[in-house]
Amino acid sequence: MSNEETVTITDNSTGKQVTLPLYKPTAGPKVIDIGSLYKELGYFTYDPGFMSTASCSSAITFLDGGKGVLQYRGYPIEQLAEQSSYLEVCYLLLNNRLPNSNELDQFTNTITRHTMLHEAMIRFYSGFRRDAHPMAIMVGCVGALSAFYHDHMDIHNEEHRMITAYRLVAKMPTIAALSYRHANGKPFVYPRNSLSYTENFLHMMFSMPTEEYVPDPLLAKALDLIMILHADHEQNASTSTVRLAGSSDANPFAAVASGIAALWGPAHGGANEAVIRMLIDINQSGKPLQAFVDRAKDKNDPFRLMGFGHRVYKNYDPRAKLVREVCHKLLKDMEATGEQQKLLETAMALEKVALEDDYFVERNLYPNVDFYSGIIFLAMGIPMNMFTVIFAMARTIGWITQWIEMMSDSELKIGRPRQLYNGAIDLDYVPIDKR
Ligand code: SDX
């Protein structure tokens, strides 16, 4: 990393000064390299939640939270949403350039031919209870992939890393759909090579052996777009988890499984399921929307408006705008009625009420990508407990691309943060008969 600029920190208690390199990125804030701070000043920095901390350098995804900008490898999300496909975005993220038509065909063919699971893995599912949450199953199965490939991959071999990326992107829909089939007592459906990536997922989810199933192109297209929007998102909690797990040279399947576990939380990827549960509660409560907005503002009430707020976006999440449009179009094209339409109407009314409330405006709490995506999944006939599974399916390319970038970084060190210790110190052990 080159730097022409520096910053100087003065310890006012001793007058000691330390000069630190200041790095200029291609876009976004400059960063202070504090690597030598502890050695020079004897202090750690303190930043719970990493509000002001860049954990790595990366060339994959750029966010500008103030302007609501999201770019994958320099391409604005709005253009990719409009003109690209999920597999083309996977190629772009992995290879740092858009493919030509032959390259895309070859990549699509490679992914298509890695969608099957080892038959032994399919037997894992019969060990899970019918009511097991599909995210619990996905964490277990993705971690267990390393039992099938661990001996056939050298994490320091570029080619091995790429085949692992292909395997993960290809197998996630199969693993996800199998969770749904198991939970609903339906027979496992094998992938079909004649179908597109999202058509194949819908086929594995909803087809029945008793009749021909033709995936709805509207739903397949909407799902493809949703997956583009969820593909990567800089150093979010789950991606940071994948990087930290991978920094110990753990295998990528274990690292991605740790990312799936982190994504499950309702403060992160679990929010899409939590949004729908919140909207259903609102509709069933018969109470005015303002009552829920007031609860979200009440510090004594743990209730938050799920799908609102974001650590980075202090403007409208650009993905939320795009998901909102897809939501409207899909429900209109499908002539959706009943609960889905009511949920959308409640979501839009809640958005209006919240965005006119000073509490939300002052804190820059806008709808994020999770606010509308659940309504689309419901319209597709996908049950709520599968929403975060789909988020994980889409984000797999981001996780594995970030892992590959980290493993290719000559500066890679095992991630090992320090702490501000405020516990007891230097106590003497008291024998039990004296306590
Ligand atoms: C994702 O990081 C990523 O990029 C994530 C993601 C990705 O693609 O990987 O974008 C996906 O996780 C989107 C976020 C989904 N989560 C939710 O929708 C859950 C609801 N939102 C929050 O819990 C919250 O907004 C977070 C977790 C998203 C962000 O939390 P921060 O940045 O730590 O902000 P904070 O909790 O410190 O909140 C700042 C203030 C607080 O009030 P004050 O202490 O200033 O008085 O805003 C309030 C919070 O109480 N606040 C909310 C709120 N979110 C924040 N108040 C009511 N409802 C909310 N949703």
Side-chain angles (χ1 to χ4, degrees), residues 310-434:
H310 198 278
R311 170 63 57 75
V312 175
Y313 290 124
K314 299 311 172 190
N315 193 320
Y316 215 97
D317 181 338
R319 301 166 300 175
K321 270 185 200 151
L322 293 162
V323 172
R324 193 173 190 268
E325 286 162 19
V326 171
C327 199
H328 278 281
K329 185 174 181 321
L330 188 68
L331 293 194
K332 185 163 160 289
D333 293 349
M334 291 175 67
E335 295 162 6
T337 55
E339 189 188 13
Q340 286 137 22
Q341 200 54 40
K342 275 182 65 185
L343 289 173
L344 177 61
E345 285 159 10
T346 303
M348 288 171 58
L350 182 60
E351 180 185 11
K352 188 173 182 309
V353 170
L355 296 187
E356 288 167 0
D357 187 298
D358 289 346
Y359 174 94
F360 286 81
V361 174
E362 283 158 13
R363 290 167 178 78
N364 298 308
L365 300 176
Y366 295 92
N368 56 49
V369 68
D370 294 304
F371 189 60
Y372 285 101
S373 51
I375 300 170
I376 294 177
F377 293 149
L378 273 187
M380 290 179 181
I382 293 167
M384 275 188 268
N385 65 4
M386 285 290 292
F387 289 3
T388 311
V389 167
I390 292 176
F391 192 155
M393 255 169 58
R395 185 56 56 85
T396 294
I397 185 59
W399 289 328
I400 196 65
T401 302
Q402 298 267 354
W403 174 81
I404 288 173
E405 181 179 67
M406 177 186 73
M407 295 309 290
S408 322
D409 185 340
S410 56
E411 288 191 341
L412 172 60
K413 290 183 188 313
I414 187 168
R416 206 280 184 215
R418 301 303 304 273
Q419 63 180 8
L420 182 156
Y421 178 69
N422 55 15
I425 198 79
D426 296 339
L427 299 180
D428 292 320
Y429 184 80
V430 179
I432 193 161
D433 57 358
K434 298 237 182 323

Side-chain angles (χ1 to χ4, degrees), residues 209-225:
T210 47
E211 55 196 26
E212 190 58 34
Y213 173 81
V214 179
D216 181 330
L218 267 182
L219 299 188
K221 174 72 185 139
L223 181 57
D224 194 85
L225 173 54

Side-chain angles (χ1 to χ4, degrees), residues 175-188:
I175 289 171
L178 190 47
S179 313
Y180 170 77
R181 302 295 286 197
H182 171 71
N184 292 277
K186 293 177 180 172
F188 172 46

Side-chain angles (χ1 to χ4, degrees), residues 233 267-268 299 304-305 307-308 310-311 319 368 395:
H233 212 240
H268 189 14
K299 289 298 163 216
R304 285 193 160 187
L305 284 191
F308 272 81
H310 198 278
R311 170 63 57 75
R319 301 166 300 175
N368 56 49
R395 185 56 56 85

Side-chain angles (χ1 to χ4, degrees), residues 135 139 256-265 399:
M135 283 298 281
V139 170
V256 167
S258 69
I260 295 170
L263 185 75
W264 195 359
W399 289 328

Side-chain angles (χ1 to χ4, degrees), residues 209-280:
T210 47
E211 55 196 26
E212 190 58 34
Y213 173 81
V214 179
D216 181 330
L218 267 182
L219 299 188
K221 174 72 185 139
L223 181 57
D224 194 85
L225 173 54
I226 291 272
M227 293 188 72
I228 290 173
L229 300 179
H230 286 78
D232 192 48
H233 212 240
E234 199 210 62
Q235 304 311 319
N236 58 82
S238 52
T239 299
S240 299
T241 304
V242 171
R243 280 180 171 259
L244 191 57
S247 72
S248 71
D249 276 2
N251 75 74
F253 301 104
V256 167
S258 69
I260 295 170
L263 185 75
W264 195 359
H268 189 14
N272 51 22
E273 178 178 345
V275 166
I276 296 298
R277 295 190 189 284
M278 173 186 74
L279 294 174
I280 291 171

Side-chain angles (χ1 to χ4, degrees), residues 19 65 94 107 121 167 170 186 193 202 242 294 298 376 387 404:
T19 298
L94 275 174
F107 180 73
M121 178 160 230
R167 281 180 169 138
K186 293 177 180 172
N193 292 349
L202 293 172
V242 171
D294 292 342
D298 179 356
I376 294 177
F387 289 3
I404 288 173

